[in-house]
Each structure stands twice: as C-alpha cells, then as structure tokens.
Amino acid sequence: SGAEAGALAAAAEAEAAQGRSLSWLIEGRRVLALFAFEDALKPGAAAAIGGLHAMGLRTAMLSGDIRAAAQGVADRLGIDSVAAEVLPDGKADAVAAWQAEGHRIAMVGDGVNDAPALAKAELGIAMGTGTDVAIEAAGITLLRGDPALVPAAIEVARRTHAKIRHNLVWAFGYNVVGLPLAAAGMLSPVVAGAAMAMSSVSVLTSALLLARWKPKEDAR
C-alpha cells in the first residue's frame, strides 16, 4: 500500500518474532494500528509432544500459517521440524515426501484438509471432535480432542501389536510340538485335546492382560 510502519515497525518485528500473525489498519498511506494474532495452544499439546519424545519419536508440524507463526508455536512446544505455509492439498504431499525418505508417519488431524494426509500416513489419528471426513480417513479416532491422548494411543497400539506376536508364538509353539507327536502316535487324543485347550486358554489369558494397561495420569 506504500504506507510506512513508522513507530510501529519495532513492535511489528517483536510480535512477528514471537510467532504472531500481523494485520495493519491503514487509511490511505497512514498506518493507524497494528494487530497481532496467535492461536491458543491446547492444554494437552505440550504433554503430547513430551510424551512422543519420551517414546523416541520425532515430531513435525504441518501448518498453513506463515512460517514465523508456525515456528513460534513449534519453539514453544519443542516440535522438531516445521512445514509452514502448506496449501490444503500439500499436507499429503509432505507426508509422501517424508515417507520417500524412509520415515514411517503417524499423522494427527481433525479437519477436512487433514483427511488426505491421514489416509496417506501409515497411521492416521483423528480427534473425536473433528470433522466426519477426517474420522473416516483415520485408523484411530480419539474420543476427546485432547492431544495428550496421542502418546497413549500409540502406546496401546504398540502393546496390542506385541501381544498379537506373543500369542502367535504360543499358538505356533503348541502346534509345532504337538502335531509331530500326535502324527507319530506318541500323543493320546485326551492329552492332545488338553494341550489344545491349554493353548486357547494361554492365548486368551495373555490377551486379557491388556486390560491391566492404564494411560499415564497426564494423558487421561
């Protein structure tokens, strides 16, 4: 517009350095006011990032906001990397680029623009308070819109996967030992039936132990 910031120039630089988006009120070529805006961080955001780092995971933020604002949020939360000024259709492309580098991606989102990236990622996590299309595209939906639930969701998924592998080992172990003995006539039908029953009981009992898992206090 050709207007000069004048005395507000220093204030604009300071606000931009804090990651705030700026708007100017101008009349003709005279600056009347400066407005600085920023998104309020969700209460569980810092706990979520800390929990993910404690699990050995790297964190990244995809944002359509200007780079200064996105970087300011990332700095406050301790996010490892930022992709700012991303267009709505660019989030899925960013996920694909990270995958091409050999990373496995868990994407967290709640908006319509997040749906393609949620579907593209190896694991899509949608907020229960988000849009229907985001929930439909995700593999996991959190019951609440609390970012602190994300580490808990990943942890329970890891434990479930480990339990499945553990149960498969038990099930195959029983069969690997029992089938040759039964084929050789060294295992009576009564003992074979009891062994199969024990196999089912051990697998079921092992699976039920997942019910003892509880999220950490800060993730409830």
Side-chain angles (χ1 to χ4, degrees), residues 128-180:
T129 55
T131 60
D132 291 340
V133 66
I135 293 173
E136 190 68 26
I140 294 176
T141 300
L142 304 178
L143 295 181
R144 302 193 306 274
D146 184 357
L149 295 175
V150 174
I154 295 177
E155 183 181 353
V156 74
R158 283 180 169 181
R159 287 174 179 263
T160 301
H161 184 260
K163 188 63 67 175
I164 291 172
R165 297 177 61 182
H166 180 261
N167 287 346
L168 283 174
V169 170
W170 275 103
F172 278 110
Y174 274 102
N175 285 280
V176 167
V177 174
L179 287 176

Side-chain angles (χ1 to χ4, degrees), residues 11-37:
E13 292 182 4
E15 296 293 342
Q18 294 296 318
R20 299 185 177 95
S21 300
L22 305 181
S23 292
W24 298 86
L25 180 61
I26 300 174
E27 182 182 38
R29 291 192 175 185
R30 188 164 62 97
V31 174
L32 301 180
L34 167 67
F35 301 93
F37 304 91

Side-chain angles (χ1 to χ4, degrees), residues 62-220:
L62 294 174
S63 174
D65 210 340
I66 62 173
R67 177 161 297 279
Q71 190 63 55
V73 172
D75 291 341
R76 292 200 298 273
L77 293 178
I79 295 175
D80 297 314
S81 61
V82 179
E85 302 175 12
V86 180
L87 297 176
D89 58 349
K91 292 186 177 181
D93 294 337
V95 170
W98 286 328
Q99 290 171 327
E101 295 174 358
H103 302 293
R104 291 187 298 171
I105 308 300
M107 170 71 185
V108 183
D110 60 0
V112 174
N113 295 336
D114 296 325
L118 289 168
K120 181 69 176 176
E122 279 81 2
L123 175 62
I125 302 176
M127 298 293 182
T129 55
T131 60
D132 291 340
V133 66
I135 293 173
E136 190 68 26
I140 294 176
T141 300
L142 304 178
L143 295 181
R144 302 193 306 274
D146 184 357
L149 295 175
V150 174
I154 295 177
E155 183 181 353
V156 74
R158 283 180 169 181
R159 287 174 179 263
T160 301
H161 184 260
K163 188 63 67 175
I164 291 172
R165 297 177 61 182
H166 180 261
N167 287 346
L168 283 174
V169 170
W170 275 103
F172 278 110
Y174 274 102
N175 285 280
V176 167
V177 174
L179 287 176
L181 293 177
M186 302 173 61
L187 201 62
S188 70
V190 174
V191 176
M196 288 304 297
M198 286 297 299
S199 173
S200 299
V201 169
S202 63
V203 168
L204 179 60
T205 302
S206 178
L208 289 175
L209 290 176
L210 278 173
R212 300 173 58 185
W213 177 84
K214 299 293 183 183
K216 294 179 180 179
E217 189 67 27
D218 57 1
R220 291 180 181 176

